[in-house]
Amino acid sequence: MPMPARVYAPTPANLRRLAKALRRGDLVAIPTETVYGLAAHALDPKACRAIFRAKRRPANDPLIVHVLDLSRAEDLAVFNPAARRLARRFWPGPLTLVLPKKSGVPGIVTSSGPTVAIRAPAHPLARRLLRLAEIPLAAPSANLFGYISPTTAAHVRAGLGTRIPHILDGGACAMGVESTVLDMTDPKRPRVLRPGVVTAAQLRQFLGVKVHDAKSRSPRARQRAPGMLERHYSPRTPLVLRHPEAQPPAGVAIVRLRMPGAKPGQHVFWLSRRGALTEIARNLYGVLRQADAGGYRQIWVEPLPVESGGLAATINDRLRRAAAKR
Ligand code: AMP
Ligand code: MG
């Protein structure tokens, strides 16, 4: 039996210990403001390979590199003026920029591609680790490939508890869905490869140019967004997007957007009290995991009413992928 992961409280001594572990090439699951990440020394190909093994992630799905700030990011990626402006406005925060990579970035991080995805996380513990370790950290979500991303240390342990040595417990993630991935290799044609917390509308307004979105599923668009699979973020129980009925059939869990007014039924879960999008995003993955653990035949999830863009579109994107057929 492999050793179970040790879960660390975020004390100064533990943070120093984990920073050292990262420097020597260990994997450490860390909290970020989006979801928990499985971090490794981004300039150590062996450490990065261990991420793919632990997650059972295919090698053609590149990793996001986490740095403290823009000046460290410029050591790893070639910034254009527009990308620099974005970093100054949205970092630290949930915006990942895809840019031409510099030669120091190992091929394992970028799936041998010419670009690297990079962001500065806002979570204070992630930042303290980055500062102590003084290395960039490659970190995809800390879950087995294809499953629901973790938003608590307990979620990480449930999936990877026998596959990684260290988990830093920073409580529940504030945002609960993954970062926006924006391709800025051509500053005249910014392209959202993955919708996230920062919305296309915000980016368009800030940049003053049209921002293309990843909706076009053309082969070319797919090529530019490696790893963006139709089916992803999925519970084991089949998930169906449909409007809720008063009486679900036996063996079906119902996930509603807001707390039912009447007495909730036994197999009813809800994502927020009154329907606030930020609360729905924060609770989404935890509630899906709960429903998945309930032994149901199916999970019926209420989709967000309109594709009003923004966070609603991001949540619907994740729900659609979670519902996609195997
Ligand atoms: P994860 O960290 O698990 O949320 O996944 C990171 C995602 O970022 C990948 O699945 C890709 O879709 C995207 N990504 C990472 N690196 C690149 C890159 N160089 N070019 C385009 N997309 C990337
Ligand atoms: Mg992931």
Side-chain angles (χ1 to χ4, degrees), residues 253-288:
I254 301 268
V255 177
R256 306 201 54 156
L257 296 174
R258 51 158 72 202
M259 208 163 123
K263 212 172 60 170
Q266 247 193 341
H267 306 290
V268 182
F269 300 78
W270 54 86
L271 294 169
S272 72
R273 270 155 308 193
R274 294 196 193 81
L277 287 177
T278 49
E279 194 185 351
I280 292 173
R282 189 159 56 235
N283 292 332
L284 179 66
Y285 292 150
V287 168
L288 291 183

Side-chain angles (χ1 to χ4, degrees), residues 8 15 17-32 35-55 57 63-67 109 119 121 125-131 133-143 150 156 160 163-168:
Y8 298 78
L15 289 169
R17 191 172 303 152
L18 292 173
K20 256 190 220 147
L22 284 164
R23 287 181 67 89
R24 68 166 180 261
D26 282 8
L27 300 185
V28 181
I30 64 167
T32 80
V35 301
Y36 272 72
L38 182 57
H41 191 328
L43 305 180
D44 177 346
K46 213 170 134 211
C48 293
R49 266 196 298 277
I51 292 180
F52 288 88
R53 254 199 321 276
K55 279 183 59 90
R57 180 178 177 112
L63 306 175
I64 294 174
V65 177
H66 294 69
V67 292
V109 171
R119 84 172 183 107
L125 293 176
R127 298 185 62 72
R128 271 159 73 187
L129 272 180
L130 283 165
R131 200 171 277 123
E134 295 180 287
I135 50 172
L137 296 175
S141 53
N143 52 282
V156 177
L160 298 178
R163 305 177 65 82
I164 62 172
H166 316 289
I167 301 172
L168 174 59

